[in-house]
Amino acid sequence: MDRRLHGRGPLFDTDPPGLASRLVGLRPYQLRSGPYEHAVDVPFVVFTGGRGLGKSALLGEVRAAYQGHTPIALVDGEEPQFAVAPPERPVAAWSPVAQALTTIAEQLAEPVKGARRIGFPRLASGLLAVAAGGWSDRDMPRMRQEAERILLLNDSRSFLDGFAGRWATKVVAKLVSTMSHTGPVVEGIIEATLESFSEGVSPTHRRLRRAVGWYRDYPNAGGNPKLGLILLSGHFRADGDSRAHAERHLVRALLADLDEAYASVMQRSHRLGRPVVLLDNVHAPAGRAVMEYVLRDRADGIRDQVVFFAALRGRTLPGGGTFPALPNAARRSLTEVTRATGWEPGTSPSSRALLVSLPPLTPDDTLHLMGAACRGLTMPPQLPHATHRLTGGSPLGITLLAASARQNLPRGAGSLGALLTGDVAVHEDHTGRPAYRELLDRLVPGGRLDELTVLAAAHDRASALALAEARLPDDFGAAGVLGLEERLAEEGWPTTAGQFVGDPFLRALLLLRLHHLGTDHAEWQATHRALIDHYGERDGADAARYRLHHELALGTADFAVAHLRDTFPDADVGDWLSALLFIASAPYFHAHDPEGRDVTERDHRTAIALGRTDAAHPVPEGVDAVLHLRVRRLLHAVWQLTDPLVLPDPQVAERLRFELEQLSNLRPGGTALLWRASRDWPAHATAGRPLHVPQDDQDGSR
């Protein structure tokens, strides 16, 4: 199988069968059935993860794997059609759930190999009763359009034979005839619908009559289907809990129609596998409500055989509510469900869900993606590992950087910074724009990008508040800072000590945007100066390293060199190495032209790290010149090798090894740590791995 997704084998594998095969009972991309892992109760699978981890791509691949083989539907809860009612549609007769159910049924009705179309008479009857609550004799064109769309869900025949369209037109004409008077039309529409369904003796009409009879069990209907539909329509118009009650029955109607399509022996012999419903962005109102209703019904013993795969950003549902975090759901990583889920349902609704966290891609996945995108091009050998280090394995980041490499390597781009600032066209019919802007539009939608760009330079809430006061509008303030902090958490971005924006990839993109806000880089400079002032008012080693970090970001290395030189003889070696790593993690950017392109290919850090500027560098009076120059070379070596936007220089890595070795001779008590760093850091840097302070060989405390 030529899979388009990397690192998602536990879902799509066929031998041994992956999660999709075991739940759907059908091998992906194949008309070959297999055994079910959960033959009676099916878990509601929710893929979790932050933005950029490929949840939408995963659901899209599931649809591609099963489309045409088993009924399948995909809806995105954040699509505009589920956000607000159409301008001409009364809100009392529309909801995101009703819109989603219509869309889902239309997709599930599409024919598959070896089986006829699925009709949805129960759902169509309920949706028609709901829609009728917003009709009047002044809305004939809209009423005809809405009624025909709903009625076409009824028939299991192919639309190509023309019967379904003619039948729907005939029923619509009968419905219109009931609207020759003013006043409520719901009861008349429902009565005309029931009459139309009762006409004829064909199997289709018998099925329609049986489906309408399903509403005789609606609460307080007293066995009367007509009254059940009238009550359903009234509850929907009442909004609040009453609407939720009606929506839950509409979801149940959809599942009951699917159950009937698979009920008979004849149908089962023609249908392979289970039907599949894919809910992207399930935290949005439409998907969230559908998920809640399905979980509640399953917990109440109302079984169905539909496989639900959903995508949830992060692990929480924003705003709390009935299922703020699906507290009783089983939690697994994708690799943990490779052979079996180990899932058993409990008594609570949320226990019927199975949360599966998506991992980032591996370095090998990145290598394969970059290689496939750049086939036929000369690619720097370190580019795939550097790409993985920058993105942290983000599928979105790797895919878009691979596209940028394919388009910009032939134009001379030689670093990740150049690939991010280079134009990339993600669609053939669109013009290109800088890759970092394309990424940020997808990773930080919904506004407040300008504010988050500035706050990306902060390290905690206190420094973010200081930045907001110094650089952001007065109406943003503390509430804005707390709001962005909460939003980052809700959307699944990790938290990291010492950084307001915890994800290194997102932070790198935001800082790159900060640098490009103006051709004079004034906002960049002002932001870092504000943080220098903030930490300058505080005492202690932590405040000093933060201040020096931002001095270095402005290109001033002398203060950092002096601090590291003067503290080396007496500081704890582990703390000193930690300070070196943090200070040297300062962002670095070349000079840029007015268009934002690099104007120099030289990185001055390399020349300093290799000692080429030692002779021209004035050493302060009264200090150990050898130590001073060694610390200066070491700082610039670490700064270059840990920069996520450049490719690590092997010569600089070798010089880093040498400088750390020499320093180990000056600190007998810290020789082991410095020696271990001299071995680990160059190897990790050239392999695209982050640098860490080694463990203490004597007591294992680090």
Side-chain angles (χ1 to χ4, degrees):
M1 177 183 65
D2 184 18
R3 250 197 338 261
R4 291 175 291 174
L5 294 184
H6 290 266
R8 303 303 182 236
L11 179 64
F12 293 106
D13 282 348
T14 56
D15 189 19
L19 180 62
S21 295
R22 302 194 309 270
L23 294 186
V24 181
L26 193 64
R27 292 189 175 191
Y29 307 96
Q30 303 176 28
L31 274 173
R32 293 182 60 186
S33 60
Y36 295 121
E37 178 182 355
H38 298 283
V40 180
D41 292 307
V42 187
F44 193 113
V45 179
V46 182
F47 297 111
T48 65
R51 289 189 184 274
L53 271 180
K55 300 181 298 298
S56 297
L58 186 72
L59 296 186
E61 191 72 6
V62 173
R63 179 172 63 176
Y66 288 110
Q67 199 159 32
H69 296 170
T70 194
I72 191 165
L74 169 61
V75 295
D76 182 350
E78 291 188 343
E79 283 185 10
Q81 65 166 317
F82 305 123
V84 294
E88 70 281 0
R89 186 85 176 262
V91 176
W94 181 93
S95 77
V97 172
Q99 183 71 14
L101 290 175
T102 304
T103 307
I104 289 171
E106 287 174 336
Q107 295 181 44
L108 291 173
E110 294 175 5
V112 299
K113 292 181 181 179
R116 63 191 302 178
R117 285 174 49 85
I118 292 178
F120 293 90
R122 294 169 181 80
L123 177 63
S125 302
L127 291 175
L128 203 63
V130 166
W135 291 341
S136 72
D137 58 353
R138 297 183 298 275
D139 302 319
M140 290 300 183
R142 177 173 64 84
M143 178 261 185
R144 286 178 181 273
Q145 183 181 24
E146 292 175 6
E148 186 164 340
R149 181 185 181 186
I150 294 171
L151 287 167
L152 286 175
L153 297 176
N154 270 315
D155 206 273
S156 59
R157 298 192 187 190
S158 171
F159 288 164
L160 298 178
D161 66 11
F163 174 82
R166 292 194 301 271
W167 178 83
T169 301
K170 179 180 177 182
V171 176
V172 169
K174 176 170 286 192
L175 300 183
V176 169
S177 68
T178 69
M179 302 182 63
S180 58
H181 61 282
T182 60
V185 301
V186 174
E187 188 168 342
I189 292 292
I190 291 174
E191 190 168 336
T193 302
L194 296 178
E195 290 178 0
S196 299
F197 286 5
S198 66
E199 295 173 351
V201 294
S202 69
T204 297
H205 285 89
R206 289 197 297 272
R207 181 172 54 83
L208 293 176
R209 287 193 292 274
R210 185 170 64 252
V212 170
W214 183 79
Y215 285 94
R216 71 176 72 251
D217 295 325
Y218 192 85
N220 296 322
N224 185 334
K226 175 182 174 182
L227 180 56
L229 287 166
I230 292 173
L231 289 171
L232 172 77
S233 181
H235 287 151
F236 191 94
R237 292 194 306 275
D239 207 356
D241 291 342
S242 295
R243 171 170 289 189
H245 178 79
E247 288 177 338
R248 184 176 173 185
H249 274 76
L250 291 176
V251 172
R252 195 178 297 171
L254 170 79
L255 299 180
D257 285 329
L258 285 172
D259 184 64
E260 182 178 69
Y262 282 76
S264 69
V265 175
M266 181 66 69
Q267 288 288 355
R268 285 198 301 273
S269 66
H270 287 81
R271 297 192 182 278
L272 299 177
R274 290 163 165 157
V276 182
V277 175
L278 309 169
L279 301 175
D280 199 3
N281 291 307
V282 75
H283 45 270
R288 181 177 179 177
V290 171
M291 177 175 68
E292 177 177 340
Y293 301 147
V294 172
L295 293 176
R296 285 191 174 280
D297 273 1
R298 288 180 174 180
D300 288 344
I302 303 175
R303 289 193 171 112
D304 65 84
Q305 288 295 297
V306 179
V307 176
F308 284 91
F309 290 121
L312 171 65
R313 194 174 304 139
R315 281 200 172 194
T316 62
L317 294 172
T322 307
F323 297 104
L326 296 168
N328 298 313
R331 285 169 162 78
R332 306 282 188 272
S333 67
L334 186 61
T335 54
E336 289 176 325
V337 299
T338 301
R339 299 290 181 92
T341 65
W343 173 84
E344 292 291 340
T347 57
S348 67
S350 63
S351 72
R352 299 279 167 159
L354 172 64
L355 295 181
V356 179
S357 59
L358 296 183
L361 300 184
T362 66
D364 284 347
D365 294 326
T366 308
L367 177 66
H368 297 319
L369 277 167
M370 297 292 290
C374 299
R375 189 176 292 117
L377 299 176
T378 301
M379 180 174 62
Q382 292 173 311
L383 184 60
H385 289 312
T387 299
H388 187 268
R389 179 182 68 175
L390 168 66
T391 62
S394 162
L396 173 63
I398 295 169
T399 302
L400 205 139
L401 277 167
S404 182
R406 183 178 65 251
Q407 299 172 37
N408 288 298
L409 285 178
R411 303 171 188 168
S415 70
L416 286 169
L419 295 183
L420 286 172
T421 55
D423 287 345
V424 58
V426 294
H427 301 291
E428 292 183 359
D429 56 341
H430 291 177
T431 58
R433 61 177 183 153
Y436 78 90
R437 289 175 52 189
E438 188 74 37
L439 283 164
L440 284 174
D441 280 355
R442 303 189 195 189
L443 295 174
V444 192
R448 294 301 190 186
L449 179 58
D450 289 342
E451 292 83 355
L452 188 59
T453 297
V454 172
L455 295 181
H459 300 281
D460 52 21
R461 184 182 296 172
S463 57
L465 291 171
L467 266 186
E469 182 178 358
R471 301 301 310 159
L472 296 178
D474 292 340
D475 60 352
F476 185 74
V481 171
L482 295 176
L484 278 180
E485 191 178 71
E486 182 180 70
R487 179 175 158 191
L488 289 170
E490 286 180 345
E491 296 196 349
W493 293 110
T495 58
T496 301
Q499 300 293 350
F500 182 78
V501 177
D503 184 78
F505 181 40
L506 177 60
R507 186 168 65 251
L509 295 173
L510 291 167
L511 291 175
L512 185 59
R513 182 178 185 270
L514 178 65
H515 194 261
H516 284 79
L517 284 180
T519 56
D520 58 355
H521 311 305
E523 186 62 40
W524 169 267
Q525 296 171 19
T527 297
H528 287 287
R529 288 196 183 102
L531 288 170
I532 291 170
D533 293 340
H534 170 70
Y535 287 108
E537 298 172 354
R538 287 160 172 75
D539 297 324
D542 285 343
R545 66 173 65 180
Y546 284 124
R547 186 174 65 253
L548 296 171
H549 172 97
H550 293 286
E551 293 277 8
L552 196 58
L554 293 177
T556 304
D558 291 345
F559 297 121
V561 172
H563 174 81
L564 292 169
R565 178 199 67 215
D566 294 342
T567 56
F568 177 75
D570 300 315
D572 175 85
V573 172
D575 291 341
W576 188 86
L577 288 173
S578 177
L580 169 64
L581 286 177
F582 182 78
I583 295 169
S585 68
Y588 172 90
F589 298 103
H590 297 297
H592 293 80
D593 64 17
E595 300 300 322
R597 305 300 192 273
D598 288 1
V599 297
T600 177
E601 296 181 359
R602 290 187 176 275
D603 187 338
H604 81 279
R605 297 173 299 181
T606 300
I608 296 174
L610 296 178
R612 296 169 183 167
T613 66
D614 284 359
H617 177 70
V619 178
E621 293 184 8
V623 302
D624 184 337
V626 174
L627 178 62
H628 176 88
L629 291 174
R630 179 154 287 135
V631 168
R632 181 171 179 261
R633 292 191 296 268
L634 179 63
L635 172 66
H636 285 81
V638 176
W639 195 12
Q640 195 277 338
L641 292 171
T642 58
D643 187 340
L645 301 187
V646 303
L647 302 182
D649 188 315
Q651 285 185 295
V652 174
E654 178 59 26
R655 189 59 184 245
L656 172 64
R657 181 194 63 77
F658 174 77
E659 299 295 353
L660 286 169
E661 277 185 4
Q662 296 305 305
L663 283 178
S664 70
N665 294 327
L666 304 178
R667 286 293 305 272
T671 297
L673 282 181
L674 290 165
W675 180 266
R676 189 71 263 157
S678 75
R679 294 311 187 252
D680 291 348
W681 287 9
H684 291 172
T686 53
R689 296 192 294 269
L691 308 189
H692 299 289
V693 177
Q695 288 189 346
D696 192 316
D697 289 342
Q698 294 179 350
D699 60 13
S701 61
R702 296 188 181 280

PDB file of all heavy atoms in Angstrom, residues 14 17 71 93 114 137 140 153 159 195 203 234 240 272 294 333 338 344 362 387 413 419 422 447 473 620 623 635 654:
ATOM      1  N   THR A  14      -2.044  -3.300   7.852  1.00  0.00           N
ATOM      2  CA  THR A  14      -2.934  -4.425   7.550  1.00  0.00           C
ATOM      3  C   THR A  14      -2.401  -5.752   8.075  1.00  0.00           C
ATOM      4  O   THR A  14      -3.168  -6.700   8.246  1.00  0.00           O
ATOM      5  CB  THR A  14      -3.137  -4.545   6.021  1.00  0.00           C
ATOM      6  OG1 THR A  14      -1.856  -4.682   5.377  1.00  0.00           O
ATOM      7  CG2 THR A  14      -3.838  -3.308   5.487  1.00  0.00           C
ATOM      8  N   PRO A  17      -3.229  -6.314  11.592  1.00  0.00           N
ATOM      9  CA  PRO A  17      -4.212  -5.260  11.325  1.00  0.00           C
ATOM     10  C   PRO A  17      -4.126  -4.125  12.329  1.00  0.00           C
ATOM     11  O   PRO A  17      -4.017  -4.336  13.533  1.00  0.00           O
ATOM     12  CB  PRO A  17      -5.560  -5.987  11.420  1.00  0.00           C
ATOM     13  CG  PRO A  17      -5.272  -7.218  12.214  1.00  0.00           C
ATOM     14  CD  PRO A  17      -3.865  -7.599  11.913  1.00  0.00           C
ATOM     15  N   PRO A  71     -19.825   2.833   3.721  1.00  0.00           N
ATOM     16  CA  PRO A  71     -20.343   4.197   3.893  1.00  0.00           C
ATOM     17  C   PRO A  71     -19.457   5.000   4.840  1.00  0.00           C
ATOM     18  O   PRO A  71     -19.112   4.542   5.932  1.00  0.00           O
ATOM     19  CB  PRO A  71     -21.735   3.971   4.492  1.00  0.00           C
ATOM     20  CG  PRO A  71     -22.121   2.600   4.036  1.00  0.00           C
ATOM     21  CD  PRO A  71     -20.854   1.814   4.009  1.00  0.00           C
ATOM     22  N   ALA A  93     -35.237  27.223  13.640  1.00  0.00           N
ATOM     23  CA  ALA A  93     -35.371  25.991  12.872  1.00  0.00           C
ATOM     24  C   ALA A  93     -34.031  25.509  12.332  1.00  0.00           C
ATOM     25  O   ALA A  93     -33.980  24.734  11.366  1.00  0.00           O
ATOM     26  CB  ALA A  93     -36.356  26.200  11.721  1.00  0.00           C
ATOM     27  N   GLY A 114     -20.862  -2.994  -4.476  1.00  0.00           N
ATOM     28  CA  GLY A 114     -21.590  -4.193  -4.086  1.00  0.00           C
ATOM     29  C   GLY A 114     -22.814  -3.971  -3.237  1.00  0.00           C
ATOM     30  O   GLY A 114     -23.440  -4.939  -2.808  1.00  0.00           O
ATOM     31  N   ASP A 137     -45.909  30.617   4.300  1.00  0.00           N
ATOM     32  CA  ASP A 137     -46.297  30.686   2.891  1.00  0.00           C
ATOM     33  C   ASP A 137     -45.570  31.797   2.145  1.00  0.00           C
ATOM     34  O   ASP A 137     -45.719  31.946   0.933  1.00  0.00           O
ATOM     35  CB  ASP A 137     -47.816  30.862   2.766  1.00  0.00           C
ATOM     36  CG  ASP A 137     -48.301  32.118   3.483  1.00  0.00           C
ATOM     37  OD1 ASP A 137     -47.473  32.762   4.171  1.00  0.00           O
ATOM     38  OD2 ASP A 137     -49.488  32.447   3.353  1.00  0.00           O
ATOM     39  N   MET A 140     -41.791  30.218  -0.036  1.00  0.00           N
ATOM     40  CA  MET A 140     -41.948  29.067  -0.919  1.00  0.00           C
ATOM     41  C   MET A 140     -40.644  28.608  -1.587  1.00  0.00           C
ATOM     42  O   MET A 140     -40.318  27.421  -1.560  1.00  0.00           O
ATOM     43  CB  MET A 140     -43.007  29.365  -1.988  1.00  0.00           C
ATOM     44  CG  MET A 140     -44.413  29.443  -1.434  1.00  0.00           C
ATOM     45  SD  MET A 140     -44.916  27.890  -0.656  1.00  0.00           S
ATOM     46  CE  MET A 140     -46.613  28.286  -0.221  1.00  0.00           C
ATOM     47  N   LEU A 153     -32.803  12.375   1.097  1.00  0.00           N
ATOM     48  CA  LEU A 153     -32.112  11.449   1.998  1.00  0.00           C
ATOM     49  C   LEU A 153     -32.889  10.157   2.180  1.00  0.00           C
ATOM     50  O   LEU A 153     -32.347   9.165   2.683  1.00  0.00           O
ATOM     51  CB  LEU A 153     -31.916  12.098   3.377  1.00  0.00           C
ATOM     52  CG  LEU A 153     -31.049  13.349   3.454  1.00  0.00           C
ATOM     53  CD1 LEU A 153     -31.054  13.898   4.880  1.00  0.00           C
ATOM     54  CD2 LEU A 153     -29.634  13.050   3.009  1.00  0.00           C
ATOM     55  N   PHE A 159     -29.728   8.065  -7.554  1.00  0.00           N
ATOM     56  CA  PHE A 159     -30.296   9.277  -8.115  1.00  0.00           C
ATOM     57  C   PHE A 159     -30.285   9.222  -9.643  1.00  0.00           C
ATOM     58  O   PHE A 159     -31.016   9.942 -10.305  1.00  0.00           O
ATOM     59  CB  PHE A 159     -29.488  10.505  -7.657  1.00  0.00           C
ATOM     60  CG  PHE A 159     -29.690  10.835  -6.207  1.00  0.00           C
ATOM     61  CD1 PHE A 159     -28.806  11.681  -5.558  1.00  0.00           C
ATOM     62  CD2 PHE A 159     -30.751  10.324  -5.504  1.00  0.00           C
ATOM     63  CE1 PHE A 159     -28.983  12.003  -4.226  1.00  0.00           C
ATOM     64  CE2 PHE A 159     -30.934  10.637  -4.166  1.00  0.00           C
ATOM     65  CZ  PHE A 159     -30.047  11.475  -3.528  1.00  0.00           C
ATOM     66  N   GLU A 195     -48.819  11.290   4.966  1.00  0.00           N
ATOM     67  CA  GLU A 195     -49.697  10.806   3.894  1.00  0.00           C
ATOM     68  C   GLU A 195     -48.882  10.363   2.683  1.00  0.00           C
ATOM     69  O   GLU A 195     -49.165   9.333   2.066  1.00  0.00           O
ATOM     70  CB  GLU A 195     -50.684  11.902   3.494  1.00  0.00           C
ATOM     71  CG  GLU A 195     -51.741  12.191   4.538  1.00  0.00           C
ATOM     72  CD  GLU A 195     -52.658  13.329   4.112  1.00  0.00           C
ATOM     73  OE1 GLU A 195     -52.440  13.871   3.000  1.00  0.00           O
ATOM     74  OE2 GLU A 195     -53.563  13.681   4.888  1.00  0.00           O
ATOM     75  N   PRO A 203     -41.774  -1.771  -1.764  1.00  0.00           N
ATOM     76  CA  PRO A 203     -40.915  -1.942  -0.585  1.00  0.00           C
ATOM     77  C   PRO A 203     -40.417  -0.615  -0.030  1.00  0.00           C
ATOM     78  O   PRO A 203     -40.253  -0.481   1.187  1.00  0.00           O
ATOM     79  CB  PRO A 203     -39.761  -2.808  -1.118  1.00  0.00           C
ATOM     80  CG  PRO A 203     -40.340  -3.548  -2.272  1.00  0.00           C
ATOM     81  CD  PRO A 203     -41.331  -2.600  -2.899  1.00  0.00           C
ATOM     82  N   GLY A 234     -41.400  21.039  18.267  1.00  0.00           N
ATOM     83  CA  GLY A 234     -41.582  22.026  19.326  1.00  0.00           C
ATOM     84  C   GLY A 234     -40.395  22.093  20.266  1.00  0.00           C
ATOM     85  O   GLY A 234     -39.967  23.182  20.668  1.00  0.00           O
ATOM     86  N   GLY A 240     -32.329  25.585  24.217  1.00  0.00           N
ATOM     87  CA  GLY A 240     -31.865  25.120  25.518  1.00  0.00           C
ATOM     88  C   GLY A 240     -31.868  23.607  25.637  1.00  0.00           C
ATOM     89  O   GLY A 240     -31.567  22.875  24.690  1.00  0.00           O
ATOM     90  N   LEU A 272     -19.616  -4.903   3.420  1.00  0.00           N
ATOM     91  CA  LEU A 272     -18.423  -5.308   4.151  1.00  0.00           C
ATOM     92  C   LEU A 272     -18.043  -4.208   5.122  1.00  0.00           C
ATOM     93  O   LEU A 272     -18.018  -3.022   4.773  1.00  0.00           O
ATOM     94  CB  LEU A 272     -17.270  -5.568   3.179  1.00  0.00           C
ATOM     95  CG  LEU A 272     -17.476  -6.677   2.151  1.00  0.00           C
ATOM     96  CD1 LEU A 272     -16.277  -6.769   1.220  1.00  0.00           C
ATOM     97  CD2 LEU A 272     -17.712  -8.010   2.845  1.00  0.00           C
ATOM     98  N   VAL A 294     -24.077  10.624  21.219  1.00  0.00           N
ATOM     99  CA  VAL A 294     -23.736   9.226  20.940  1.00  0.00           C
ATOM    100  C   VAL A 294     -23.227   8.545  22.211  1.00  0.00           C
ATOM    101  O   VAL A 294     -23.626   7.419  22.537  1.00  0.00           O
ATOM    102  CB  VAL A 294     -22.680   9.148  19.817  1.00  0.00           C
ATOM    103  CG1 VAL A 294     -22.172   7.710  19.666  1.00  0.00           C
ATOM    104  CG2 VAL A 294     -23.275   9.626  18.495  1.00  0.00           C
ATOM    105  N   SER A 333      -1.642   6.072  23.755  1.00  0.00           N
ATOM    106  CA  SER A 333      -0.879   6.670  22.659  1.00  0.00           C
ATOM    107  C   SER A 333      -1.140   5.846  21.406  1.00  0.00           C
ATOM    108  O   SER A 333      -1.648   4.721  21.471  1.00  0.00           O
ATOM    109  CB  SER A 333       0.615   6.670  22.980  1.00  0.00           C
ATOM    110  OG  SER A 333       1.112   5.335  23.022  1.00  0.00           O
ATOM    111  N   THR A 338      -1.466  -0.440  18.650  1.00  0.00           N
ATOM    112  CA  THR A 338      -0.991  -1.125  17.445  1.00  0.00           C
ATOM    113  C   THR A 338      -1.627  -2.493  17.288  1.00  0.00           C
ATOM    114  O   THR A 338      -2.084  -2.859  16.199  1.00  0.00           O
ATOM    115  CB  THR A 338       0.543  -1.273  17.499  1.00  0.00           C
ATOM    116  OG1 THR A 338       1.136   0.024  17.593  1.00  0.00           O
ATOM    117  CG2 THR A 338       1.058  -1.979  16.257  1.00  0.00           C
ATOM    118  N   GLU A 344     -12.266  -1.117  27.645  1.00  0.00           N
ATOM    119  CA  GLU A 344     -13.494  -1.712  28.162  1.00  0.00           C
ATOM    120  C   GLU A 344     -14.414  -0.590  28.605  1.00  0.00           C
ATOM    121  O   GLU A 344     -13.997   0.283  29.360  1.00  0.00           O
ATOM    122  CB  GLU A 344     -13.201  -2.637  29.353  1.00  0.00           C
ATOM    123  CG  GLU A 344     -12.435  -3.896  28.993  1.00  0.00           C
ATOM    124  CD  GLU A 344     -13.266  -4.869  28.164  1.00  0.00           C
ATOM    125  OE1 GLU A 344     -14.514  -4.750  28.188  1.00  0.00           O
ATOM    126  OE2 GLU A 344     -12.677  -5.732  27.506  1.00  0.00           O
ATOM    127  N   THR A 362       9.012  10.920  13.586  1.00  0.00           N
ATOM    128  CA  THR A 362      10.372  10.588  13.992  1.00  0.00           C
ATOM    129  C   THR A 362      11.375  11.205  13.017  1.00  0.00           C
ATOM    130  O   THR A 362      11.006  11.633  11.914  1.00  0.00           O
ATOM    131  CB  THR A 362      10.563   9.067  14.012  1.00  0.00           C
ATOM    132  OG1 THR A 362      10.460   8.573  12.664  1.00  0.00           O
ATOM    133  CG2 THR A 362       9.509   8.397  14.878  1.00  0.00           C
ATOM    134  N   THR A 387      15.611  19.886  10.122  1.00  0.00           N
ATOM    135  CA  THR A 387      14.168  20.120  10.000  1.00  0.00           C
ATOM    136  C   THR A 387      13.418  19.471  11.156  1.00  0.00           C
ATOM    137  O   THR A 387      12.496  20.059  11.727  1.00  0.00           O
ATOM    138  CB  THR A 387      13.657  19.577   8.657  1.00  0.00           C
ATOM    139  OG1 THR A 387      14.324  20.252   7.586  1.00  0.00           O
ATOM    140  CG2 THR A 387      12.153  19.770   8.527  1.00  0.00           C
ATOM    141  N   ALA A 413      18.502  28.624  -1.730  1.00  0.00           N
ATOM    142  CA  ALA A 413      18.293  28.582  -0.286  1.00  0.00           C
ATOM    143  C   ALA A 413      19.144  27.472   0.316  1.00  0.00           C
ATOM    144  O   ALA A 413      19.154  26.353  -0.190  1.00  0.00           O
ATOM    145  CB  ALA A 413      16.821  28.351   0.032  1.00  0.00           C
ATOM    146  N   LEU A 419      14.538  28.780   3.999  1.00  0.00           N
ATOM    147  CA  LEU A 419      13.337  28.053   3.591  1.00  0.00           C
ATOM    148  C   LEU A 419      12.087  28.650   4.228  1.00  0.00           C
ATOM    149  O   LEU A 419      11.007  28.634   3.625  1.00  0.00           O
ATOM    150  CB  LEU A 419      13.455  26.579   3.977  1.00  0.00           C
ATOM    151  CG  LEU A 419      14.547  25.773   3.273  1.00  0.00           C
ATOM    152  CD1 LEU A 419      14.481  24.308   3.703  1.00  0.00           C
ATOM    153  CD2 LEU A 419      14.432  25.885   1.757  1.00  0.00           C
ATOM    154  N   GLY A 422      11.564  32.069   2.475  1.00  0.00           N
ATOM    155  CA  GLY A 422      11.322  31.935   1.045  1.00  0.00           C
ATOM    156  C   GLY A 422       9.850  31.705   0.748  1.00  0.00           C
ATOM    157  O   GLY A 422       9.113  31.129   1.544  1.00  0.00           O
ATOM    158  N   GLY A 447      -7.071  35.334  15.311  1.00  0.00           N
ATOM    159  CA  GLY A 447      -6.738  36.656  15.841  1.00  0.00           C
ATOM    160  C   GLY A 447      -5.684  36.636  16.927  1.00  0.00           C
ATOM    161  O   GLY A 447      -5.216  35.586  17.383  1.00  0.00           O
ATOM    162  N   PRO A 473      -1.092  47.518  23.189  1.00  0.00           N
ATOM    163  CA  PRO A 473      -2.110  48.529  23.468  1.00  0.00           C
ATOM    164  C   PRO A 473      -2.643  48.446  24.893  1.00  0.00           C
ATOM    165  O   PRO A 473      -2.663  47.369  25.517  1.00  0.00           O
ATOM    166  CB  PRO A 473      -3.212  48.210  22.444  1.00  0.00           C
ATOM    167  CG  PRO A 473      -2.508  47.496  21.337  1.00  0.00           C
ATOM    168  CD  PRO A 473      -1.413  46.712  21.997  1.00  0.00           C
ATOM    169  N   PRO A 620      39.636  42.671  27.452  1.00  0.00           N
ATOM    170  CA  PRO A 620      39.621  43.668  28.540  1.00  0.00           C
ATOM    171  C   PRO A 620      40.861  43.531  29.421  1.00  0.00           C
ATOM    172  O   PRO A 620      41.397  42.440  29.619  1.00  0.00           O
ATOM    173  CB  PRO A 620      38.334  43.333  29.308  1.00  0.00           C
ATOM    174  CG  PRO A 620      37.484  42.603  28.327  1.00  0.00           C
ATOM    175  CD  PRO A 620      38.424  41.845  27.444  1.00  0.00           C
ATOM    176  N   VAL A 623      42.054  40.682  32.811  1.00  0.00           N
ATOM    177  CA  VAL A 623      41.381  39.384  32.795  1.00  0.00           C
ATOM    178  C   VAL A 623      42.294  38.367  32.135  1.00  0.00           C
ATOM    179  O   VAL A 623      43.250  38.711  31.418  1.00  0.00           O
ATOM    180  CB  VAL A 623      40.026  39.443  32.047  1.00  0.00           C
ATOM    181  CG1 VAL A 623      39.112  40.476  32.670  1.00  0.00           C
ATOM    182  CG2 VAL A 623      40.238  39.738  30.567  1.00  0.00           C
ATOM    183  N   LEU A 635      30.896  30.261  23.513  1.00  0.00           N
ATOM    184  CA  LEU A 635      29.549  30.845  23.449  1.00  0.00           C
ATOM    185  C   LEU A 635      29.042  30.892  22.012  1.00  0.00           C
ATOM    186  O   LEU A 635      27.898  30.503  21.723  1.00  0.00           O
ATOM    187  CB  LEU A 635      29.565  32.251  24.050  1.00  0.00           C
ATOM    188  CG  LEU A 635      28.276  33.066  23.879  1.00  0.00           C
ATOM    189  CD1 LEU A 635      27.138  32.430  24.674  1.00  0.00           C
ATOM    190  CD2 LEU A 635      28.483  34.516  24.309  1.00  0.00           C
ATOM    191  N   GLU A 654      33.358  20.427  15.978  1.00  0.00           N
ATOM    192  CA  GLU A 654      34.664  19.932  16.388  1.00  0.00           C
ATOM    193  C   GLU A 654      35.366  20.937  17.297  1.00  0.00           C
ATOM    194  O   GLU A 654      36.025  20.557  18.276  1.00  0.00           O
ATOM    195  CB  GLU A 654      35.517  19.644  15.150  1.00  0.00           C
ATOM    196  CG  GLU A 654      36.926  19.161  15.440  1.00  0.00           C
ATOM    197  CD  GLU A 654      36.969  17.890  16.262  1.00  0.00           C
ATOM    198  OE1 GLU A 654      36.003  17.107  16.215  1.00  0.00           O
ATOM    199  OE2 GLU A 654      37.976  17.665  16.971  1.00  0.00           O
TER     200      GLU A 654
END
